[in-house]
């Protein structure tokens, strides 16, 4: 029995951040997808059913809260971690109320995010195969 690869969707309008996160989570063994806007993100959510979405709060067009509402409407079991370049506490609170698990403020520590995603997707009961910091 093989472990189904978990899927991570990265939604950010900044290409550099998407590329960095794609590299990090691909090397962690996840299937990674990326979207630069809300419309594309929701198409991927519908077609691929990601296990976790890393979602930027500030995206031109449809903002992160709007995307979060749609993601949760499609499948409330999808885990969402917000990313924000700003300390908008009211938006962060609203995101949490809408079901986001946590948020990272940019520039974030990539190792902290990697550990947080691994804990969410591997349920904290990581086996010895996944060494932290390897």
């Amino acid at each position: 029995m093989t472990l189904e690869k978990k899927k991570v969707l990265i939604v950010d309008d900044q290409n550099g951040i998407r590329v960095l996160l794609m590299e990090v989570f691909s090397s962690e063994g996840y299937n990674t997808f990326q979207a630069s806007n809300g419309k594309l993100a929701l198409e991927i959510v519908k077609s691929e059913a990601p296990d976790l979405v890393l979602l930027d709060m500030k995206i031109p067009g449809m903002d992160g809260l709007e995307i979060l509402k749609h993601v949760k409407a499609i499948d409330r079991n999808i885990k969402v971690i917000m990313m924000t370049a700003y300390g908008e506490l009211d938006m962060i609170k609203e995101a949490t109320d809408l079901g986001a698990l946590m948020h990272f403020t940019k520039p974030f520590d990539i190792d902290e995010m990697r550990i947080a995603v691994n804990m969410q997707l591997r349920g904290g009961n990581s086996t010895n195969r996944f060494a932290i910091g390897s």
Side-chain angles (χ1 to χ4, degrees):
M1 189 174 111
T2 58
L3 191 68
E4 175 87 10
K5 265 193 165 187
K6 297 278 191 182
K7 298 177 183 176
V8 176
L9 169 59
I10 296 144
V11 186
D12 198 306
D13 59 321
Q14 290 177 275
N15 185 55
I17 289 179
R18 289 199 314 274
V19 169
L20 170 70
L21 293 174
M22 293 274 294
E23 283 176 7
V24 168
F25 293 113
S26 294
S27 71
E28 287 289 306
Y30 298 115
N31 276 338
T32 54
F33 303 88
Q34 61 171 317
S36 57
N37 61 57
K39 184 175 181 295
L40 188 57
L42 296 174
E43 286 170 13
I44 294 170
V45 168
K46 287 174 186 157
S47 64
E48 296 294 339
D51 299 283
L52 186 139
V53 179
L54 289 168
L55 178 54
D56 188 28
M57 197 79 91
K58 286 284 192 209
I59 294 182
M62 197 186 303
D63 75 5
L65 290 175
E66 194 65 29
I67 298 167
L68 174 61
K69 285 176 193 163
H70 287 295
V71 168
K72 289 297 187 178
I74 294 165
D75 181 350
R76 33 183 296 271
N77 295 317
I78 295 174
K79 298 176 178 200
V80 180
I81 294 176
M82 303 301 290
M83 300 180 289
T84 175
Y86 315 91
E88 304 117 337
L89 291 174
D90 51 337
M91 281 181 81
I92 290 164
K93 182 186 181 323
E94 188 176 346
T96 306
D97 291 346
L98 290 168
L101 297 167
M102 59 179 73
H103 74 277
F104 282 86
T105 305
K106 295 176 186 174
F108 43 77
D109 180 316
I110 198 69
D111 278 330
E112 281 180 21
M113 182 172 281
R114 188 171 54 82
I115 290 165
V117 168
N118 286 338
M119 279 177 56
Q120 292 300 332
L121 292 180
R122 297 181 180 146
N125 57 355
S126 65
T127 59
N128 295 333
R129 290 179 301 145
F130 304 116
I132 289 179
S134 58

